[in-house]
């Protein structure tokens, strides 16, 4: 992925502009991940994608609950509905896109039921849930934002590459490169900026901290799939 594709950001001087700039080195590391390179050209080994998609199915179940907690903390009905809708969409992705991939790559419902989260996936979801439960609405928003924003930029960058005929992962590319997904990400960016304007200085510092940490976990999650990460003991 080219840096100018991943580097798109709000034009105004805002909290999210500063946060996006702060994770420039993390974004560069994400761009360099072999998993994404091989996914985009269809050469990703099936066992790696199986590991990724199974872990992502586990992740989305927890992420949907995290979004529901964020919705419960939202200051108005419009934002409550926005994040309840996001939680529903996360579960729909798990049940739709993932169900197709799980069947395509020979993963049964029993496999999903028996699966354990990888160390990186376990750490990431527990970080998000703890932040959503214990922190303010602006801070919780900042923790969930990297998943929206980074997936949007990754999907957009991959979709803009030359199409590989017969790419087994094209449905994944289409999902995260879809304009509707981009619109949803932009909306969460705008809501985070709005929340930041009313936050205290201490809250804004915490917002940036959790945004960076969640972005680090995004890199770790993909890298862990490439390395077929399991619990070492």
């Amino acid at each position: 992925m080219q840096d100018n594709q991943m580097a798109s950001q709000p034009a105004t001087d805002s909290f999210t502009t500063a946060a996006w700039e702060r994770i420039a080195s993390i974004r560069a590391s994400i761009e360099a991940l072999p998993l994404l390179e091989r996914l985009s050209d269809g050469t990703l080994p099936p066992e790696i994608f199986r590991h990724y998609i199974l872990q992502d199915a586990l992740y989305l179940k927890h992420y949907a609950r995290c979004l529901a907690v964020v919705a419960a903390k939202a200051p108005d009905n419009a934002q409550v509905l926005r994040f309840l809708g996001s939680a529903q969409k996360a579960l729909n992705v798990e049940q739709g896109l993932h169900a197709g991939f799980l069947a395509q790559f020979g993963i049964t419902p029993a496999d999903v039921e028996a699966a354990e989260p990888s160390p990186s996936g376990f750490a990431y979801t527990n970080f998000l849930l703890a932040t959503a439960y214990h922190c303010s609405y602006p801070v919780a928003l900042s923790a969930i934002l990297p998943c929206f924003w980074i997936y949007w930029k990754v999907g957009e960058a991959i979709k803009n590459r030359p199409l590989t005929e017969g790419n087994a992962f094209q449905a994944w590319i289409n999902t995260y490169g879809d304009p509707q997904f981009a619109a949803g990400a932009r909306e969460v960016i705008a809501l985070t900026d709005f929340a930041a304007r009313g936050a205290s200085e201490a809250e804004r510092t915490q917002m940036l901290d959790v945004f960076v940490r969640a972005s680090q976990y995004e890199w770790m999650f993909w890298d862990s799939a490439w390395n077929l990460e399991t619990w070492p003991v």
Side-chain angles (χ1 to χ4, degrees), residues 32-65:
L33 285 168
L35 183 148
L36 296 175
E37 177 72 30
R38 301 284 294 277
L39 188 149
S40 69
D41 65 13
T43 64
L44 186 68
E47 65 273 15
I48 291 178
F49 190 75
R50 278 196 293 268
H51 186 284
Y52 162 75
I53 208 69
L54 183 56
Q55 289 299 315
D56 203 40
L58 297 175
Y59 168 86
L60 282 175
K61 289 179 181 179
H62 292 289
Y63 190 64
R65 286 158 177 77

